[in-house]
Amino acid sequence: MTFQYGLFMFFAALVVYGAVCVITLRNPVHAVLHLVLTFFASAGLWMLLEAEFLAIILVLVYVGAVMVLFLFVVMMLDINVSETREGFVSYVPVGFLIGLVLLLQIRIVVGSEFFGLDQYPLPVPRPADYSNTAELGYLIYTVYVYPFEIAAVILLVAIIAAISLTMRRRPESRKQMPDKQVKVKADERLKLIKMDAVVSVDKKDQGDDV
Amino acid sequence: MNDLLFDHLGFLPDPAALTVATLMKILLIMIPLMLGVAYVTYAERKIIGFMQIRKGPNRVGFFGFSLWGLGQPIADGMKLAFKEIIIPTNANLYLFLLAPILAIVPALAAWAVIPFSDVMVLADVNAGLLYVLAMTSLGVYGVIIAGWASNSRYAFLGSMRSAAQIVAYEIAMGFALVGVLMVAGSLNLREIILAQQVPLNLFGFNIITSGWFYIPLFPLFLVYFISGIAETNRAPFDVAEGESEIVAGFHVEYSGMAFALFFLAEYANIIMIATLTAIMFTGGWLSPFDGLLNTEILSVPVLGALLDSGIHWLFLKMVFFIYLFLWFRATFPRYRYDQIMRLGWKVFIPVTIIWLTVECAGILLEIEPWFV
């Protein structure tokens, strides 16, 4: 058993452990943290495949940004754990069915007849100064430039849609308008009224009060 | 450094020699870093003291001499090491203890790829820039988990603020670095520095420091450094621990060494951002006189070594940027939360995108400062 094989087993075990915990743990925050662990271990596996660019991007984008926002949302939600567990047993068969279908689909697409050792020979180990970032960039911007651009446009549409969904006007919510705050003049806010220091009071009224 | 250490361990079998050499190199980075962290806290208190016409720490010294309070960080460290770590009731024990570890590990791990001079680098990897970015982006987990696991409203508010802030400024930071790697044409930090070696030639004169990236990328340089301050949760962006509002933010429930780890992580990150700014925008270990002096001056015994490129220039630049961190803290009042968000999303990101466009045009049209 080589050192690399040991590393592979370690990361693979972490991925499986993390993924199982994500769906079994009751506390959603713990589940998200295990998802982080899964991503991290997958990045380790990709690193073993000499895909260092993808591995680092996985950590940077998913662990460093996406999962942070996930945690942010999950921590803010006040999820009643027992409520989400209601009817768990009745959903189990459906869940298993869907899982089975997904597993079959994955098997059809990435079966050994397409990705077996006879189809894909072992990759040639690259020298240490081989930059797969440059290689990837070269492929993306030449051979696969149209699919890449289309994917970018689809993502842009999704971003705009998500933002426009949250941009609906809500009259009940108050918000700050910094531009108006900056432009405001003193005489729009403040009204100075000149008046005498002492107001003369009618003698007769005063007498009535006393 | 690499070969020297490795060769002296020739009596060991190769894998063992490699391991021992690497561990020794890690120690060579870690020990000065930890000492640096300790004395940055001292420098902070002393410098801000002077700026506010106070004395700062001036009592604790060594062997009965007060020595301007130089013993203060050691005394603080000893005190923290022997304090009890109090775990709040109903806190999530594992996550509560995991959070400081998650804060310190990325802060230290990022140092693996930092080139201290042309030969002094622990791991000279291709995607060094990306690695640094990935590691610094992991630091936020320590903050978020600490806030959540503490079972305290103040800590939770602090961690929520910091999460949103760090994610916002990371984008501007990433974009600024895209500008750097476009000019340098590499993700390797050593090559990024070497790309700054060529001085700009204007009207037949070589201008001092003109090859450094802060000139062609000036807006990105500003955006990067300011985002770095926001990323490390330092004043004026320190809403994560705004004392006047939420006591101490995410680490309000921490004491003893657990608190000390957050503290170490914060200052290690400050030194990290200062180093990265020095490397990516002001030429790292390069001397400002690089390529301008003839060999006669460079061969003068001490002066020549001082004027030549070397690790001392990197340290000088780091000290300058760390000083800026402290100066800002003494100068600026804390930003309001919505102002922080506005600055990050509506000012910095557009500025970086515009400057990237300018840079693209410069490279395409082969205009001098961007295209070398």
Side-chain angles (χ1 to χ4, degrees):
Chain A
M1 196 175 86
T2 60
F3 181 60
Q4 261 194 340
Y5 184 74
L7 272 184
F8 171 79
M9 283 323 237
F10 173 68
F11 283 126
L14 268 189
V15 169
V16 174
Y17 164 76
V20 169
C21 282
V22 170
I23 49 174
T24 54
L25 284 179
R26 284 164 177 271
N27 190 326
V29 173
H30 293 178
V32 172
L33 288 175
H34 278 90
L35 192 54
V36 172
L37 179 71
T38 311
F39 277 134
F40 212 84
S42 326
L45 285 180
W46 286 3
M47 201 68 104
L48 284 178
L49 286 173
E50 299 185 7
E52 78 266 3
F53 179 77
L54 289 178
I56 295 176
I57 288 294
L58 182 71
V59 173
L60 181 59
V61 175
Y62 280 88
V63 179
V66 175
M67 296 317 291
V68 172
L69 294 178
F70 239 81
L71 259 187
F72 190 87
V73 173
V74 166
M75 283 176 177
M76 300 276 266
L77 293 176
D78 191 20
I79 298 176
N80 190 343
V81 176
S82 61
E83 215 168 84
T84 56
R85 290 275 144 175
E86 252 171 47
F88 179 72
V89 180
S90 60
Y91 287 124
V92 164
V94 186
F96 263 107
L97 201 71
I98 293 174
L100 208 68
V101 170
L102 279 177
L103 202 66
L104 270 177
Q105 283 178 333
I106 294 172
R107 172 69 189 74
I108 291 168
V109 179
V110 293
S112 58
E113 62 268 34
F114 300 113
F115 288 90
L117 277 181
D118 49 333
Q119 301 289 328
Y120 274 83
L122 272 178
V124 193
R126 305 285 184 179
D129 60 342
Y130 174 81
S131 168
N132 72 26
T133 314
E135 207 67 18
L136 200 70
Y138 179 76
L139 274 182
I140 281 180
Y141 289 106
T142 52
V143 182
Y144 298 108
V145 64
Y146 289 120
F148 180 68
E149 294 290 332
I150 291 169
V153 170
I154 291 173
L155 280 177
L156 186 67
V157 170
I159 292 172
I160 293 171
I163 292 174
S164 64
L165 278 179
T166 62
M167 288 282 270
R168 66 179 201 277
R169 194 178 285 278
R170 279 183 300 182
E172 74 276 10
S173 72
R174 293 158 180 269
K175 57 183 170 187
Q176 275 181 327
M177 290 175 215
D179 48 335
K180 285 192 178 168
Q181 287 179 332
V182 170
K183 277 182 200 145
V184 79
K185 296 273 187 320
D187 52 348
E188 290 170 24
R189 291 273 174 92
L190 198 68
K191 198 171 161 192
L192 292 175
I193 302 170
K194 233 185 173 62
M195 54 197 299
D196 297 333
V198 179
V199 181
S200 62
V201 185
D202 203 314
K203 286 270 163 56
K204 195 190 161 199
D205 287 343
Q206 208 175 29
D208 279 353
D209 278 8
V210 173
Chain B
M1 181 163 152
N2 181 16
D3 300 323
L4 204 81
L5 270 177
F6 191 70
D7 290 345
H8 277 82
L9 295 163
F11 55 89
L12 289 170
D14 257 10
L18 191 66
T19 313
V20 174
T22 310
L23 282 177
M24 282 168 73
K25 280 187 257 178
I26 291 174
L27 280 183
L28 274 180
I29 297 174
M30 276 309 106
I31 293 170
L33 178 66
M34 286 296 125
L35 280 176
V37 165
Y39 278 92
V40 169
T41 65
Y42 170 76
E44 173 167 37
R45 297 171 66 182
K46 210 68 182 168
I47 288 169
I48 294 180
F50 289 146
M51 286 182 181
Q52 297 168 346
I53 324 182
R54 301 184 279 113
K55 280 192 162 57
N58 66 348
R59 286 289 181 274
V60 189
F62 297 101
F63 311 114
F65 299 100
S66 67
L67 294 173
W68 316 282
L70 271 175
Q72 188 69 47
I74 312 288
D76 287 343
M78 295 294 269
K79 187 190 98 179
L80 283 172
F82 290 109
K83 270 181 93 168
E84 184 188 357
I85 298 176
I86 297 164
I87 293 162
T89 39
N90 289 334
N92 193 312
L93 181 67
Y94 296 107
L95 289 182
F96 186 79
L97 296 178
L98 186 70
I101 301 171
L102 284 182
I104 190 89
V105 166
L108 299 183
W111 286 89
V113 295
I114 298 294
F116 293 96
S117 84
D118 205 1
V119 284
M120 280 189 230
V121 50
L122 177 60
D124 191 13
V125 297
N126 279 330
L129 189 65
L130 279 176
Y131 172 81
V132 167
L133 215 55
M135 280 302 137
T136 47
S137 73
L138 289 184
V140 64
Y141 278 99
V143 175
I144 300 186
I145 292 173
W148 186 77
S150 293
N151 190 30
S152 153
R153 292 289 173 272
Y154 289 138
F156 187 61
L157 276 175
S159 73
M160 287 290 110
R161 286 177 177 195
S162 133
Q165 178 186 332
I166 288 181
V167 169
Y169 280 86
E170 215 169 70
I171 298 170
M173 222 170 168
F175 267 128
L177 296 186
V178 168
V180 172
L181 68 94
M182 272 168 65
V183 187
S186 172
L187 282 170
N188 181 317
L189 289 175
R190 204 172 52 79
E191 281 171 28
I192 286 176
I193 293 177
L194 291 178
Q196 303 179 46
Q197 220 168 11
V198 193
L200 201 64
N201 196 319
L202 208 66
F203 310 118
F205 291 104
N206 281 338
I207 302 159
I208 196 167
T209 78
S210 60
W212 298 358
F213 287 158
Y214 77 96
I215 290 179
L217 304 176
F218 192 68
L220 299 185
F221 167 56
L222 292 185
V223 166
Y224 181 80
F225 190 62
I226 299 173
S227 304
I229 297 173
E231 197 86 340
T232 45
N233 285 325
R234 290 285 299 181
F237 303 105
D238 59 344
V239 288
E241 44 183 306
E243 299 91 342
S244 50
E245 303 144 26
I246 48 175
V247 195
F250 63 94
H251 57 51
V252 68
E253 301 290 348
Y254 282 87
S255 57
M257 261 338 256
F259 167 75
L261 282 186
F262 280 119
F263 206 67
L264 286 177
E266 179 179 333
Y267 283 86
N269 277 328
I270 290 174
I271 303 178
M272 184 79 207
I273 294 289
T275 314
L276 285 175
T277 319
I279 286 175
M280 277 176 294
F281 293 98
T282 57
W285 69 77
L286 292 181
S287 153
F289 312 108
D290 185 70
L292 303 178
L293 298 175
N294 51 24
T295 46
E296 265 173 49
I297 301 179
L298 290 183
S299 56
V300 176
V302 180
L303 188 72
L306 280 181
L307 289 178
D308 201 7
S309 302
I311 190 168
H312 55 286
W313 285 109
L314 179 66
F315 284 147
L316 209 63
K317 290 163 190 171
M318 279 160 69
V319 167
F320 172 70
F321 287 117
I322 292 171
Y323 180 74
L324 286 186
F325 268 91
L326 310 183
W327 192 2
F328 290 159
R329 184 175 166 193
T331 311
F332 295 115
R334 186 175 297 132
Y335 268 85
R336 216 171 52 208
Y337 188 70
D338 65 308
Q339 290 172 327
I340 292 182
M341 284 294 133
R342 248 170 72 79
L343 185 71
W345 289 105
K346 295 189 178 172
V347 179
F348 280 175
I349 293 177
V351 163
T352 50
I353 292 175
I354 289 169
W355 203 255
L356 282 182
T357 323
V358 171
E359 202 187 328
C360 282
I363 292 173
L364 265 183
L365 302 173
E366 307 195 355
I367 302 171
E368 174 83 316
W370 295 286
F371 182 86
V372 181

